[in-house]
Amino acid sequence: MAFLKIRYNDFISSPVEWGSCILNIILCLCMGYFYLDSDYIVPMFYAAFFFLYIIVVFLTGRRFIPLMYMLYCLGGVQNITFINLTGWFIVIGLSWWFPKWKRPMMVIYGLEIFLVCFRHLKSVWHLLAHFAFCVVFYVAAESVRKKIEKEAVERAGEALKGSVEKTIENDIKDALREDLRANMKRLELTEGERAVVSQLAEGKMIKEVEGVSKNTKTDYIESAMLRNGCRTKAELISLYSLEERLPELFPSLFPES
C-alpha cells in the first residue's frame, strides 16, 4: 500500500505520465468507435494495450513509455496500411522527449518496415517510398526542433542578460550609495544644534530662528562648527544642506528616502 501511495503521488505530479495516459484513453475510445461496427477484435486489442500502458506507466513511471509506444507503432504498422506513417511520427516525437532511445527506436522501426514489406510481398519501390517519406518528415521535424531550441536558448539568454544587468546595476547603486555615505563628511549635531542649523539652511537669519534664545543659538552654532571642523558658519550650513539633499541629488541611489 505504501508503494501504491508513493506511486500515486509521483503519478499525479508528473504531467508526462498522467497526460500520456489520458491520451491513451482518448485513443482507445477513438479506435473502438472506428472499428466497433465492423470488427470487435481490433478495438478490444487496442483497448487491452492502452489499459496495459496505463498500468505499466502507473507502476513504473516514465521509464517504459518509449517501449510501450514502440509496441504500439509496430502493431500499427502490422494491422493498418503499409504506407501509414503514424508510427514514424510517434518515433520522432519520442526521440525529442527521450533522446537516448532515438537510435534504437529508429533501427527497430526500420527493421519492422522491412519485415512488413517482405511479409506482404511489396516491391522494393514500396520500401524505398516509405523510407523516403520517413527521411523527409525526419528532416522537417529536426528543423522545427532546432528552431524551437534556438528560440528557447535566445529567450533564456535574454532573460539571463536582463537579470545580470539588473543585478549589476543594483550592485553598482548599492556600492555608490555606501561610498557616498561612508566618504562624505557626516555632521555630528545634537538635537538642538540640528534644529538651529536646519532653520539657517532654510534661509533664515539667526534672529529669525525660533524656539531657542539668542545666546543659545550662538552657542549651538559655535559648538557645531568646532565639533565638525568648520571654519565658518557658511561652511557648516553648506555641509548640512548637501547632506540633506543627497537623496534629492541622487534619487536612484537613495530610493528609500
Side-chain angles (χ1 to χ4, degrees):
M1 291 299 295
F3 169 76
L4 292 178
K5 185 176 181 180
I6 293 173
R7 277 304 307 145
Y8 173 77
N9 293 330
D10 293 341
F11 180 80
I12 61 176
S13 64
S14 174
V16 173
E17 293 181 21
W18 61 258
S20 63
C21 288
I22 291 176
L23 176 61
N24 274 280
I25 292 174
I26 295 173
L27 288 173
C28 178
L29 294 174
C30 291
M31 297 304 297
Y33 175 78
F34 287 136
Y35 288 96
L36 193 58
D37 294 337
S38 59
D39 188 353
Y40 289 99
I41 297 178
V42 174
M44 289 179 64
F45 171 79
Y46 278 107
F49 173 80
F50 292 138
F51 282 118
L52 175 64
Y53 174 90
I54 293 171
I55 293 172
V56 170
V57 171
F58 180 81
L59 294 178
T60 64
R62 64 175 67 187
R63 188 181 315 165
F64 293 107
I65 287 180
L67 177 61
M68 297 302 292
Y69 271 108
M70 273 305 299
L71 292 176
Y72 170 75
C73 293
L74 301 183
V77 170
Q78 289 285 341
N79 292 287
I80 310 178
T81 59
F82 173 70
I83 207 65
N84 183 279
L85 289 167
T86 304
W88 182 243
F89 295 153
I90 294 175
V91 169
I92 293 175
L94 289 174
S95 70
W96 286 19
W97 287 96
F98 304 92
K100 68 178 182 179
W101 283 78
K102 179 177 181 179
R103 190 166 295 175
M105 286 190 299
M106 291 185 175
V107 171
I108 294 172
Y109 182 82
L111 291 174
E112 175 72 3
I113 293 299
F114 179 81
L115 291 175
V116 171
C117 180
F118 178 78
R119 193 184 75 173
H120 290 281
L121 301 177
K122 299 291 184 179
S123 70
V124 68
W125 297 110
H126 287 84
L127 183 63
L128 293 176
H130 188 87
F131 281 122
F133 279 122
C134 289
V135 171
V136 169
F137 288 124
Y138 176 78
V139 171
E142 283 295 296
S143 299
V144 172
R145 181 183 63 82
K146 289 179 180 178
K147 182 175 178 60
I148 292 173
E149 289 181 350
K150 181 181 178 182
E151 291 177 351
V153 170
E154 288 177 352
R155 286 195 299 270
E158 289 297 323
L160 179 62
K161 180 181 177 182
S163 176
V164 170
E165 289 177 349
K166 189 67 176 178
T167 301
I168 293 175
E169 180 183 353
N170 290 335
D171 289 345
I172 291 175
K173 286 182 178 180
D174 290 339
L176 288 174
R177 186 186 301 120
E178 293 304 319
D179 189 62
L180 275 172
R181 288 173 170 173
N183 294 299
M184 179 189 166
K185 184 177 181 181
R186 306 291 293 181
L187 294 176
E188 298 180 12
L189 301 172
T190 64
E191 185 177 346
E193 292 169 353
R194 186 170 294 277
V196 172
V197 176
S198 66
Q199 293 186 58
L200 293 176
E202 293 173 1
K204 293 183 178 181
M205 303 294 290
I206 291 183
K207 62 181 181 181
E208 296 175 337
V209 173
E210 301 175 349
V212 186
S213 65
K214 182 178 180 181
N215 292 335
T216 304
K217 297 174 191 176
T218 304
D219 292 340
Y220 278 164
I221 293 172
E222 291 177 353
S223 175
M225 290 170 56
L226 180 63
R227 188 183 308 107
N228 293 282
C230 298
R231 289 173 294 180
T232 64
K233 181 177 65 176
E235 182 181 355
L236 176 66
I237 296 173
S238 297
L239 287 174
Y240 177 85
S241 298
L242 179 59
E243 182 178 319
E244 290 297 309
R245 290 191 62 199
L246 273 179
E248 177 186 347
L249 295 173
F250 304 97
S252 62
L253 297 180
F254 296 86
E256 71 279 4
S257 301

